[in-house]
Amino acid sequence: MKPVISVRDLEEMVRNGKDARSLPEDALLTPSARDFLRDLEGTGNLKSPRADAGRSTAPATPVTSRSSRAEIEAFFNSPKIHALKLQICEIGRRLWQRAYVDGNGGNIAVRVSEDLVLCTPTLVSKGFMKPEDTCFVDLEGNQFCGTKKRTSEILMHLQIMKRQPRAVATVHCHPPYATGFAVAGVEPPTCMIPEFEVFASVAIAPYRTPGTPEMGKLVADLVDQHNTILMANHGVVTWSHNDVEDAYFKMEILEAYCRTVLVATQLGKPVNTMTAAQLQDLLKIKQSLGIPDPRFGLKECELCDNEGWRPGVTCAVAGPGDGSAAAAGAPDPEAEKLVQAITEQIMSSQR
Ligand SMILES: [Zn+2]
């Protein structure tokens, strides 16, 4: 079988200092991998064009937590990190403007070298951060730079980064619709909107006290195959292998999706879903973009399975032994049968 090379493979090669153009003769390139190679030829060097634009946070710098204090401090105050600080403030503003954060809630982290992470401070509204509010921490959460104290929830971001080496940026916030799904313990159904299928891979982590190592571990357990984690009774955290804006985009996509699903299920009609074959096409695109998904490689009949998701509220028919039913008058067996039949029909058409 011919090897299929994605842009993710090429980025990996560049990151490891290998020549991304030394591929096997028979290698098949995905469209984005072909574009990536064309960019490389254009720049005449082996560095990722993204890194040139200051967007990628792939460890291109040798500064680590083991460097001298002065070196770390200089790195923290460098133009490259300043650009990222501004980007974090900008994303914070968007989170606040869209009401994805409340009070001092939410936090953002960007990995800037092998084990240094730029993150948001505690006790500051994400809508009004200044570049100098940000902090430098290592992967254990020890703070190196910044006048404000780092967020306590950074431990969760760091656990994601440790478990998922491709995660260069993480965003956590409390968007109301998606958080509503997290509170109800309902995983958003699938096969409804292409954008959501291509860019987000959702899972739910159980509730634990925010900021505890245990919470971080439960989230980290899911980031191998998911980039968007609903945290039960709390909020959402996303990670990206590209940059912080991309991690934020997943939040927008998820929140818009949850809102749309809620509207669709209130219109009194069974919702339409795409076919498994149509989803398969989207999953191919997703794979070529280097986005994880546990459904890669599944058979078509296994896709679009929304087992466990039931839209709306169904009328419960009281059982014969239910005292409250007797108080309200005994249910009519004919009517009960009819309600049951209609409910089943609706349910089966939505599966
Ligand atoms: Zn939170």
Side-chain angles (χ1 to χ4, degrees):
M1 217 172 97
K2 293 178 181 173
V4 179
I5 307 292
S6 70
V7 70
R8 180 177 147 192
D9 300 321
L10 296 177
E11 281 177 342
E12 194 77 34
M13 290 174 78
V14 170
R15 213 170 291 155
N16 295 332
K18 292 188 192 140
D19 186 343
R21 288 164 294 194
S22 63
L23 295 167
E25 284 280 308
D26 60 344
L28 290 173
L29 293 170
T30 64
S32 45
R34 229 173 293 136
D35 289 346
F36 184 88
L37 269 192
R38 208 174 303 130
D39 284 343
L40 276 189
E41 306 287 352
T43 55
N45 63 45
L46 299 177
K47 272 168 68 195
S48 153
R50 276 215 188 94
D52 289 343
R55 284 165 61 83
S56 169
T57 48
T61 162
V63 180
T64 71
S65 65
R66 297 178 301 282
S67 302
S68 71
R69 283 277 164 171
E71 276 174 321
I72 296 174
E73 200 68 45
F75 186 37
F76 185 68
N77 293 312
S78 67
K80 179 188 168 176
I81 299 300
H82 186 71
L84 287 171
K85 289 175 184 173
L86 291 174
Q87 206 178 4
I88 285 179
C89 293
E90 165 61 19
I91 296 301
R93 202 158 22 246
R94 291 196 222 171
L95 289 173
W96 185 83
Q97 274 166 346
R98 279 190 167 259
Y100 292 178
V101 288
D102 38 274
N104 297 322
N107 21 78
I108 303 166
V110 179
R111 195 199 308 237
V112 294
S113 76
E114 181 194 314
D115 69 347
L116 284 176
V117 173
L118 184 66
C119 72
T120 50
T122 189
L123 300 177
V124 174
S125 164
K126 299 302 146 323
F128 303 90
M129 286 184 298
K130 294 183 210 66
E132 55 269 28
D133 292 337
T134 54
C135 320
F136 245 4
V137 294
D138 67 10
L139 290 179
E140 304 311 315
N142 301 310
Q143 184 162 347
F144 287 78
C145 305
T147 49
K148 293 217 160 69
K149 192 176 171 343
R150 52 105 171 131
T151 167
S152 62
E153 281 189 295
I154 190 64
L155 298 178
M156 172 182 70
H157 297 254
L158 299 173
Q159 270 171 285
I160 292 174
M161 288 174 179
K162 279 199 271 190
R163 196 73 74 83
Q164 176 49 272
R166 296 179 61 229
V168 295
T170 45
V171 172
H172 162 63
C173 61
H174 314 140
Y177 288 88
T179 304
F181 277 76
V183 169
V186 176
E187 213 166 287
T190 58
C191 298
M192 292 187 192
I193 305 235
E195 198 101 50
F196 177 75
E197 299 300 343
V198 171
F199 295 106
S201 299
V202 175
I204 303 186
Y207 179 82
R208 292 293 185 280
T209 305
T212 58
E214 209 190 348
M215 180 72 253
K217 186 193 174 297
L218 288 168
V219 169
D221 283 346
L222 297 166
V223 296
D224 180 32
Q225 295 194 306
H226 303 90
N227 60 14
T228 304
I229 314 296
L230 296 182
M231 301 156 74
N233 301 84
H234 181 173
V236 185
V237 61
T238 59
W239 67 265
S240 165
H241 64 294
N242 289 325
D243 52 47
V244 65
E245 188 176 45
D246 188 47
Y248 165 75
F249 280 164
K250 292 180 201 325
M251 208 60 88
E252 277 193 359
I253 290 165
L254 170 73
E255 181 68 350
Y257 185 74
C258 289
R259 199 165 47 170
T260 305
V261 166
L262 270 183
V263 172
T265 53
Q266 287 169 24
L267 293 175
K269 298 229 176 187
V271 294
N272 297 315
T273 52
M274 60 187 76
T275 65
Q278 287 167 333
L279 177 69
Q280 196 71 279
D281 277 348
L282 298 175
L283 290 179
K284 275 184 206 148
I285 298 171
K286 189 173 204 167
Q287 202 160 14
S288 77
L289 293 172
I291 300 171
D293 195 300
R295 295 170 299 178
F296 293 154
L298 286 187
K299 294 193 204 87
E300 277 193 5
C301 61
E302 296 170 296
L303 299 171
C304 294
D305 178 12
N306 282 315
E307 196 61 42
W309 180 72
R310 299 287 174 270
V313 179
T314 50
C315 296
V317 179
D322 191 327
S324 61
D332 175 352
E334 276 310 304
E336 192 180 342
K337 230 189 261 171
L338 191 63
V339 170
Q340 190 68 32
I342 293 169
T343 307
E344 272 167 15
Q345 206 183 341
I346 292 170
M347 288 309 186
S348 66
S349 68
Q350 282 162 355
R351 251 164 228 168

